[in-house]
Amino acid sequence: MADIQKLVTMLKELDDQLVSCMRCGMCQAVCPVFAETGREADVTRGKLALLDGLAGEILKDPKGVKEQLDRCLLCGTCQANCPSGVHVMDIFLKARAILTGYFGLSPAKRIIFKQLLTRPELFNKLTTFGSKFQGMFAKPVNDVLGTSCARFQAPLIADRHFPSLAAKPFHKSTKPMDEPAGKSGVRVAFYPGCMVDKVYPGVGHAVLKVLKHHGVGVFMPHGQACCGIPALSSGDRESFEKMVATNADLFSNADFDYILTPCATCSATLKEIWPTMVDNESLKARIGPVADKVMDVSEFLVNVLGVEAMEGAAGKKVTYHDPCHLRNSLKVTAQPRTVLQASKNASFVELPNAATCCGCGGSFSLHHYEISKKIGDLKAKTVEDSGAETLATSCPACMMQIADRLSQRGHSIPVKHVIEVYAESLGS
Amino acid sequence: MADKALLKEFEAIVGADNVMSAEAETHAYSYDAAVLDSVAPAVVVRPTETEQLGAITALCNKHGLPLTVRGAGTNLSGGTIPSKGGVVVLTGALNKILELNMDDLYARVQPGVITAKFAAEVASKGLFYPPDPGSQTVSTLGGNVAENAGGLRGLKYGVTKDYLMGISFYDVNGDLVKSGSRTVKCVTGYNLPGLMVASEGTLGVFNEITFKLIPPPQAAQSMMAVFDDVLDASRTVSAIIAAKILPATLEFMDNFTIRTVDNFRKAGLPTDAAALLLIEVDGHPAQVAEEAEKVEKICKEHNAKSVEVAKDAEHRAKVWQARRDALPALANLKPTCVLEDATVPRSRIPAMMEALARISKEFDLTIGTFGHAGDGNLHPTILTDKRNEQEWHRVEKAIDAIFDEALAMGGTLSGEHGIGLAKSKYMEQETSRATIEYSRRMKKSLDPKGILNPGKIISALLD
């Protein structure tokens, strides 16, 4: 553990950003965690006040502050609605890094980030291995949703209904790709992200099918690393930079027009977090041009390929949940809806409160499962009440969370990625 | 931190989950939205039933512990900053609408109900609760009563006090006091609801509130009038009222605010205008049409460069977005934003605007002014950085000067933000020594140990 004075000095560097919070409290209206708990330390204003108090040595309990700071989904809704324009995400990520530097990483996270996520080959091997044996530990509960639950008591899994690891991860069922631009004249790099690779390979295949349909050339190197957000949100900037560097090696010298991901979190991380949170100047220079080319898959289909909504599609009723990272960070909300409306076997209905967080928040749901569940149940209920036959979204983490809640509540509404719905409409 | 035996007593009332005493929890209740130093309480309790409020109050009185009730903590005058070593009582979990009576047009609520949620619930039943403070999406009704919150519709529809019909509250002994009624007329005894309004938590702990509801206006028309001269805009305000038209809202923005808002949202506002008036008339459709026409005419007679009348709902929303953006846009400019609410009789608005321009120059400060011109309630907003000590000193002097001017014009210290800690020192200047002594005697007899939100309103030292 480092010296507390050093901690204070580091926190003071956040002062210029912390001081811009005028304590108006408007974040209370939009914070999903505060809506459940009603506690000021759970809402952004409270957390900023705690950091400010720690930096100003008014309060002297860094451990308590760290615990409160971790009770955040990092959904960014407060930042998107902040009257003073406080850079909340920036402050929270930096503060977590500072406090993690002070306390050190937990042993489990140390192994996961330092030994596993920074080594894509090992990560791939281990998850492939895991997928073969998961049947021993998990049993299926809902065929439509593809969820399982733990056979034995498992503290991290609790009573979750989770999707199985894919029998064959995406990178195993596809070869590395390096195609020239097709008839569309566009060549894209494809970054599936860990969740698509290991849990939802069907989403990856749907993306490839759609790109092929539209004549888009694909560059997809194997050996891609995690985008780094799990490490960064736990305060491990060092592992984060390693993952970014691995990806920079693969993408920064390649020639492509856009880099696509079907994961809202990966999109936001590549586009916004990479350029702001990477410290190493040469790495920053290498990833800058890559970050500039990042696009969500739906955004690409609509903005670049010109996919348009169709009149009077008469398929199954499908509705859409806005992932926080697409809506709050990248402001992409219309395009996924357009893509659904362009899917001829789907008929789009708007979901009430589509923009509220599903409560997943990455590792938030591991550490604060009870709150995560309650927030997720609100989302699941609106999906049930909407009468939709399919729930579509643009983030695999949201897919997992909403499937868990629907499954737990005994509903069999399939949860799909927008691109899967669109790919299905293109026929085989 | 509070001692263990005391915490056990609170836990016995509200349960262990609802008592917070760790430093990283209590510090989150050490401030509100006022630019003042924070003070952490020793304990924070979160009752889940209103009955617990009585037991908590009695316990605090027994031990002589300062008690501050807190809703959303959006107070702009420090009214919810607790006392050191004191107790903060959260009303967030007391958020039930107990009754919406459609026949007799009233509602009964718990103090922690959020203002905008309440207004929406009332609207869904086809009725109207007009008070709309700027913080309404998070502010609570208990806080609105305690501060006598206002809003954009104050001119025609009044403020919180105009809708308060009855209230029950706990006295310091934890006994329930009931006053007011569900009837429109009620003269039973002292007007205790009137006493509770704007009492800022110093006289009792609210248990249940009864509000009057009204039928909503059937139609509304909004417009934006652009002026090259601030005085012309100010005179237009008086002229509209003099023509016996009471708009639902009549809002003002100065040039600095217009430019800042336009820069904030690129809404295409007239950035070269000296001032804007945003006006909405509402009521019966025929009356609205007639009044809108008259207002437009009055604006033009007073040299309005243009009057833009909203064509549809979308256009109307655009007009009001400009007003809603005023504070956020100003707040984005500098780290510290001091939002004042000195209020003058509306005929003195031109004089007040001149005074504000003078003060801004004299103390070399950036002041953006917007606000509720129709009721004389202006929000001169000083943009600064509290860390700059030398500048902050000038800000304090400028605030003194603003109140001096407002009071000299027959105005008041606060239109809607309350006195709290921030303006206690000016109280005698607006009222009189006797007023404060009277208030103190009253407070002393109702709260002998001085536990109810001490330090607020009447506590600044007299000479």
Side-chain angles (χ1 to χ4, degrees):
Chain A
M1 209 179 283
D3 173 18
I4 190 142
Q5 274 312 318
K6 201 172 164 215
L7 174 71
V8 167
T9 312
M10 288 193 287
L11 284 170
K12 279 198 173 134
E13 286 167 20
L14 295 177
D15 194 45
D16 277 337
Q17 286 179 304
L18 285 173
V19 76
S20 58
C21 170
M22 61 172 177
R23 306 269 193 270
C24 68
M26 291 302 164
C27 40
Q28 291 175 22
V30 294
C31 173
V33 179
F34 182 80
E36 287 304 324
T37 70
R39 288 168 193 250
E40 181 83 11
D42 284 340
V43 78
T44 309
R45 175 172 71 161
K47 290 180 163 65
L48 295 176
L50 292 182
L51 286 172
D52 196 39
L54 203 55
E57 297 179 79
I58 296 171
L59 87 151
K60 298 178 171 60
D61 176 19
K63 187 164 179 288
V65 173
K66 185 179 184 308
E67 278 168 17
Q68 299 295 351
L69 200 61
D70 286 343
R71 289 165 65 92
C72 170
L73 292 155
L74 296 177
C75 68
T77 315
C78 52
Q79 179 169 318
N81 289 282
C82 176
S84 308
V86 179
H87 298 136
V88 183
M89 293 300 103
D90 217 28
I91 297 173
F92 283 2
L93 289 172
K94 284 179 183 160
R96 283 183 180 196
I98 292 168
L99 285 162
T100 300
Y102 179 71
F103 286 108
L105 269 182
S106 71
K109 283 184 175 173
R110 178 168 286 276
I111 292 171
I112 294 171
F113 302 144
K114 306 264 184 227
Q115 306 296 332
L116 198 59
L117 292 188
T118 44
R119 296 160 148 180
E121 294 299 327
L122 179 65
F123 184 30
N124 285 342
K125 275 189 192 138
L126 204 74
T127 45
T128 308
F129 179 79
S131 74
K132 294 193 171 58
F133 292 95
Q134 61 189 341
M136 285 170 62
F137 307 104
K139 58 186 178 201
V141 283
N142 189 315
D143 287 343
V144 175
L145 286 161
T147 47
S148 305
C149 62
R151 282 188 195 278
F152 315 105
Q153 207 189 356
L156 265 187
I157 294 172
D159 59 349
R160 281 182 178 77
H161 288 187
F162 53 88
S164 319
L165 283 169
K168 205 168 190 186
F170 183 62
H171 74 275
K172 284 272 183 194
S173 52
T174 48
K175 289 197 162 54
M177 299 171 76
D178 194 358
E179 302 169 347
K183 68 173 191 305
S184 66
V186 181
R187 175 175 137 101
V188 299
F190 183 34
Y191 181 88
C194 305
M195 284 281 288
V196 165
D197 185 55
K198 289 156 182 69
V199 182
Y200 294 115
V203 174
H205 291 294
V207 172
L208 292 181
K209 180 180 169 184
V210 168
L211 294 178
K212 191 171 179 195
H213 172 85
H214 286 284
V216 176
V218 179
F219 167 61
M220 185 181 71
H222 275 186
Q224 298 182 21
C226 164
C227 67
I229 194 69
L232 186 64
S233 57
S234 293
D236 182 2
R237 285 181 89 153
E238 190 186 272
S239 299
F240 165 73
E241 292 216 354
K242 267 192 192 161
M243 296 176 214
V244 178
T246 305
N247 289 315
D249 290 343
L250 293 176
F251 292 106
S252 65
N253 288 322
D255 177 33
F256 50 83
D257 301 305
Y258 304 97
I259 176 163
L260 306 188
T261 94
C263 171
T265 305
C266 295
S267 299
T269 307
L270 268 57
K271 198 172 182 76
E272 295 200 321
I273 311 262
W274 279 9
T276 49
M277 296 299 290
V278 166
D279 257 348
N280 178 312
E281 287 303 326
S282 75
L283 180 58
K284 204 173 197 149
R286 280 165 73 208
I287 48 135
V290 178
D292 285 345
K293 291 180 187 173
V294 172
M295 262 203 193
D296 162 68
V297 169
S298 296
E299 188 186 8
F300 172 74
L301 290 182
V302 174
N303 293 14
V304 178
L305 298 181
V307 167
E308 285 177 5
M310 284 187 310
E311 291 290 320
K316 283 193 166 179
K317 265 167 85 176
V318 53
T319 192
Y320 179 70
H321 158 72
D322 282 293
C324 296
H325 289 126
L326 266 199
R327 171 177 50 93
N328 296 327
S329 303
L330 303 179
K331 317 286 180 211
V332 172
T333 54
Q335 295 93 332
R337 289 172 169 81
T338 305
V339 170
L340 290 174
Q341 286 162 335
S343 307
K344 61 177 177 286
N345 43 9
S347 126
F348 175 73
V349 287
E350 186 63 39
L351 182 70
N353 301 318
T356 57
C357 178
C358 69
C360 179
S363 60
F364 177 89
S365 85
L366 287 181
H367 299 300
H368 307 287
Y369 186 45
E370 286 306 312
I371 305 174
S372 170
K373 260 197 320 204
K374 284 185 190 160
I375 300 171
D377 279 342
L378 295 176
K379 179 59 69 175
K381 187 163 187 313
T382 57
V383 175
E384 293 153 20
D385 293 347
S386 73
E389 294 159 283
T390 301
L391 181 271
T393 186
S394 299
C395 177
C398 301
M399 287 169 68
M400 188 167 76
Q401 167 82 349
I402 298 170
D404 171 33
R405 298 326 306 160
L406 286 170
S407 180
Q408 297 260 9
R409 297 164 61 90
H411 283 267
S412 297
I413 301 165
V415 175
K416 291 184 181 171
H417 195 286
V418 168
I419 203 73
E420 291 181 291
V421 176
Y422 183 66
E424 282 165 20
S425 78
L426 298 176
S428 48
Chain B
M1 197 191 283
D3 68 63
K4 287 214 167 71
L6 186 66
L7 292 178
K8 285 262 176 277
E9 288 193 75
F10 282 115
E11 285 173 10
I13 302 170
V14 294
D17 277 355
N18 291 310
V19 178
M20 296 171 250
S21 62
E23 204 187 1
E25 291 172 315
T26 55
H27 188 81
Y29 298 99
S30 63
Y31 55 81
D32 57 19
V35 188
L36 293 168
D37 292 338
S38 49
V39 181
V43 194
V44 179
V45 290
R46 189 167 188 265
T48 51
E49 306 290 337
T50 46
E51 294 76 28
Q52 295 166 351
L53 288 169
I56 292 166
T57 311
L59 181 63
C60 288
N61 195 43
K62 188 176 110 188
H63 294 294
L65 290 170
L67 180 165
T68 300
V69 180
R70 180 184 175 103
T74 51
N75 199 285
L76 281 154
S77 56
T80 35
I81 295 180
S83 299
K84 195 168 167 44
V87 178
V88 164
V89 178
L90 303 178
T91 59
L94 308 173
N95 57 2
K96 291 191 192 70
I97 297 174
L98 303 167
E99 184 187 0
L100 280 181
N101 193 302
M102 315 294 293
D103 296 324
D104 295 324
L105 304 190
Y106 69 82
R108 288 190 305 119
V109 300
Q110 292 184 335
V113 174
I114 290 170
T115 315
K117 279 191 183 160
F118 174 64
E121 189 68 29
V122 168
S124 76
K125 305 280 183 205
L127 291 172
F128 188 28
Y129 177 72
D132 57 346
S135 55
Q136 60 177 322
T137 56
V138 296
S139 72
T140 62
L141 292 169
N144 290 172
V145 173
E147 297 295 328
N148 194 9
L152 268 65
R153 301 193 190 105
L155 172 60
K156 178 170 179 178
Y157 291 101
V159 295
T160 306
K161 72 173 179 195
D162 299 302
Y163 295 86
L164 182 66
M165 295 170 78
I167 194 162
S168 67
F169 59 90
Y170 289 97
D171 67 14
V172 284
N173 301 313
D175 293 327
L176 193 62
V177 180
K178 294 181 179 181
S179 182
S181 162
R182 300 170 196 196
T183 57
V184 174
K185 294 175 173 174
C186 166
V187 287
T188 310
Y190 289 132
N191 180 6
L192 299 185
L195 185 62
M196 288 300 125
V197 157
S199 64
E200 304 190 11
T202 61
L203 297 176
V205 174
F206 302 168
N207 168 72
E208 188 186 305
I209 307 161
T210 305
F211 285 115
K212 176 172 77 176
L213 306 175
I214 62 171
Q218 295 167 31
Q221 180 64 267
S222 307
M223 59 199 94
M224 181 191 288
V226 182
F227 294 87
D228 279 335
D229 182 344
V230 172
L231 295 183
D232 279 335
S234 312
R235 286 181 197 120
T236 306
V237 173
S238 307
I240 291 171
I241 313 284
K244 300 185 178 54
I245 296 170
L246 218 44
T249 27
L250 181 38
E251 297 286 309
F252 171 91
M253 284 165 85
D254 70 359
N255 173 266
F256 184 77
T257 310
I258 298 166
R259 282 186 288 126
T260 310
V261 167
D262 192 64
N263 197 30
F264 181 66
R265 200 178 288 271
K266 313 271 179 267
L269 295 179
T271 48
D272 56 344
L276 282 184
L277 288 181
L278 305 172
I279 311 162
E280 180 160 304
V281 289
D282 69 1
H284 186 275
Q287 178 201 355
V288 168
E290 189 188 317
E291 289 189 347
E293 202 176 304
K294 272 194 197 163
V295 168
E296 194 178 347
K297 195 163 157 266
I298 294 168
C299 290
K300 287 188 173 149
E301 282 166 7
H302 288 80
N303 307 322
K305 196 160 63 170
S306 69
V307 183
E308 193 182 335
V309 180
K311 293 183 284 288
D312 49 31
E314 198 185 330
H315 197 178
R316 178 178 175 228
K318 207 185 121 196
V319 169
W320 291 109
Q321 188 62 48
R323 170 60 181 85
R324 279 194 292 273
D325 283 342
L327 179 59
L330 291 171
N332 265 284
L333 288 185
K334 286 278 188 78
T336 313
C337 165
V338 182
L339 180 71
E340 276 310 342
D341 74 328
T343 299
V344 293
R346 63 185 154 244
S347 62
R348 305 305 302 274
I349 286 178
M352 191 63 192
M353 288 305 299
E354 283 180 287
L356 287 170
R358 206 167 54 239
I359 290 167
S360 158
K361 216 169 172 182
E362 183 185 341
F363 296 95
D364 187 23
L365 292 168
T366 307
I367 305 181
T369 300
F370 62 97
H372 320 304
D375 45 38
N377 183 193
L378 293 174
H379 290 306
T381 302
I382 308 175
L383 304 173
T384 177
D385 185 339
K386 212 186 162 186
R387 295 170 300 179
N388 179 342
E389 274 181 42
Q390 196 260 341
E391 184 172 285
W392 184 250
H393 186 65
R394 295 204 309 275
V395 171
E396 290 178 319
K397 293 277 172 216
I399 295 171
D400 289 347
I402 290 172
F403 289 126
D404 284 345
E405 291 285 354
L407 294 180
M409 291 177 200
T412 179
L413 294 171
S414 175
E416 56 185 4
H417 294 172
I419 299 300
L421 296 169
K423 302 184 205 171
S424 182
K425 64 174 174 174
Y426 305 111
M427 275 290 283
E428 191 183 351
Q429 201 180 337
E430 176 173 342
T431 59
S432 68
R433 173 71 67 101
T435 311
I436 295 171
E437 294 296 357
Y438 183 86
S439 306
R440 284 181 171 179
R441 285 200 299 278
M442 188 172 72
K443 163 89 172 158
K444 182 86 186 163
S445 63
L446 294 173
D447 176 17
K449 293 186 183 174
I451 65 152
L452 295 174
N453 210 14
K456 315 299 167 4
I457 315 177
I458 47 169
S459 293
L461 291 172
L462 295 174
D463 296 327

